Amino acid sequence: MTLPRPRSADAVVLVGGKGTRLRPLTLSTPKPMLPTAGVPFLTHLLSRIRQAGIRHVVLGTSYKAEVFAEHFGDGSALGLELEYVVEDEPLDTGGAIRNVAGALRADDVVVFNGDILSGADPARMLDSHAAAGADVTLHLVTVDDPSRFGCVPTDEGGRVLRFTEKSPDPPSDQINAGCYVFRREVIEEIPAGVPVSVERETFPGLLAAGAHLHGVVDDSYWLDVGTPAAFVRGSADLVRGIAPTAALPGKTGESLMLDGARVDPDAIVDGGTAVGAGATIERGARVSGSVLLDGAVVAADAVVCDSVLGTDSRVGRAAVLDGAVLGDGAAVGARCELIPGARLWPGVTIPDTGIRFSPDV
């Protein structure tokens, strides 16, 4: 295998958030460590950083910070050198970037939000940053409805013109995609030890001061996986090869089976479903576009769509789950029905026919 050309740049990944929108999954596991298409979500991003030739990666951690080091160690198994910097108090995005400044070595730093699944090419970002002689380069993606986001219009040469907050009449279809290249000196100028928003304070302030902010615009894959619906979609897109990764533990396709997973020949598993180690799907069950963590069980004739089943959770016979989340060890009884948005906390059991949205039992 041809190794990527080493890059004289550092990478920073911000992974300090509590992931409250993904509860109960994040009660025990930080969002970037949730199993996604067979491996922790962060592994997919680290694989792309490695592909770009970057070796030194600093993780800005906070919530359950020890989990990252316990899993990834020094990063050597991934061909990386990992360092960890803990954020003791919430510092927002700009403050979190400033907080890791002491661990940086290179003149250029690629910064990633750790909850974004993206097709951004770090190598292209660095090349464009150097060619433009920019102070900061932003990855921008085009979206169909930019009114829901902050817009970042650029001129023909890619120079950022302004930052516009959510507006019913957006000036551009380009939005901030959460990946940046900074000159290290710019990071060091961010106030230390206080909360700073890079989107609302740092970038507009730099622009007002005459700094050169450059935009790299494309229509590559981009998804914020902060909600259960987005999380299962992201996992399914990785399994099917729609979202880019170099860390998928198997071939792309309609499903991914980890070691020890057991699926009855008369069950249907599709839509990019990831089935964890030791998980079981019984006869006549249908599982589509979902994530089953290790040891989860889907009983005979059950239907599970666009859902997440926590470790050792169980779905009873002929139950129906659509857009639901089960915490670790939770159990849904036979013939129950859970509709989109339903969340069952760890260890909770719903008895047979205990919750339904249909009149028949």
Side-chain angles (χ1 to χ4, degrees):
M1 181 178 69
T2 303
L3 294 176
R5 175 170 63 91
R7 294 272 178 172
S8 57
D10 291 334
V12 169
V13 185
L14 304 179
V15 290
K18 292 184 177 181
T20 54
R21 292 181 296 165
L22 275 170
R23 289 177 178 169
L25 301 173
T26 51
L27 291 174
S28 59
T29 304
K31 176 168 55 177
M33 296 301 292
L34 289 175
T36 312
V39 296
F41 177 81
L42 181 57
T43 310
H44 297 289
L45 174 56
L46 293 176
S47 76
R48 289 182 52 75
I49 291 172
R50 173 71 171 78
Q51 276 189 321
I54 300 172
R55 297 292 181 270
H56 180 228
V57 182
V58 182
L59 299 185
T61 66
S62 180
Y63 176 64
K64 296 189 180 296
E66 69 283 355
V67 174
F68 297 93
E70 288 171 359
H71 183 85
F72 292 111
D74 63 4
S76 58
L78 298 174
L80 298 170
E81 181 184 353
L82 295 184
E83 289 192 61
Y84 305 87
V85 177
V86 179
E87 181 181 318
D88 295 323
E89 299 291 336
L91 296 173
D92 211 330
T93 47
I97 294 169
R98 178 62 177 87
N99 194 53
V100 305
L104 301 176
R105 305 170 186 171
D107 293 333
D108 292 321
V109 182
V110 189
V111 178
F112 301 87
N113 283 340
D115 54 3
I116 299 294
L117 183 57
S118 170
D121 182 350
R124 181 191 173 206
M125 292 277 294
L126 285 165
D127 289 342
S128 186
H129 179 76
D135 296 300
V136 180
T137 295
L138 295 82
H139 178 225
L140 310 176
V141 294
T142 56
V143 296
D144 293 333
D145 181 13
S147 65
R148 300 184 297 115
F149 304 93
C151 292
V152 188
T154 55
D155 66 17
E156 292 182 357
R159 190 161 190 144
V160 173
L161 299 175
R162 63 186 181 276
F163 293 87
T164 303
E165 289 301 314
K166 297 176 183 178
S167 167
D169 186 23
S172 169
D173 62 355
Q174 300 171 181
I175 67 167
N176 178 357
C179 175
Y180 322 110
V181 181
F182 280 82
R183 286 194 302 109
R184 188 171 66 179
E185 291 86 348
V186 175
I187 292 177
E188 292 170 345
E189 292 170 0
I190 298 173
V194 295
V196 179
S197 168
V198 72
E199 300 89 354
R200 294 186 298 274
E201 298 175 70
T202 303
F203 291 154
L206 286 169
L207 201 59
H212 183 176
L213 274 64
H214 182 69
V216 174
V217 185
D218 60 34
D219 58 357
S220 62
Y221 185 97
W222 183 82
L223 182 67
D224 178 345
V225 297
T227 66
F231 172 72
V232 295
R233 176 186 163 192
S235 179
D237 285 350
L238 286 161
V239 171
R240 293 185 294 167
I242 297 171
T245 181
L248 191 71
K251 296 181 179 179
T252 58
E254 284 299 299
S255 63
L256 174 70
M257 307 291 173
L258 298 190
D259 290 345
R262 298 181 295 276
V263 178
D264 190 276
D266 289 329
I268 298 174
V269 183
D270 60 13
T273 293
V275 183
T280 301
I281 301 175
E282 296 180 355
R283 180 184 179 88
R286 170 72 183 269
V287 181
S288 182
S290 296
V291 178
L292 278 61
L293 302 190
D294 294 354
V297 175
V298 177
D301 302 320
V303 177
V304 177
C305 296
D306 303 329
S307 298
V308 188
L309 309 187
T311 301
D312 295 327
S313 62
R314 179 176 178 85
V315 176
R317 185 182 184 91
V320 177
L321 274 63
D322 183 6
V325 178
L326 304 188
D328 294 347
V332 175
R335 300 178 301 285
C336 285
E337 296 175 340
L338 271 61
I339 62 176
R343 306 186 190 208
L344 195 59
W345 250 238
V348 173
T349 296
I350 300 177
D352 293 353
T353 66
I355 182 168
R356 289 182 61 81
F357 294 86
S358 301
D360 60 306
V361 293

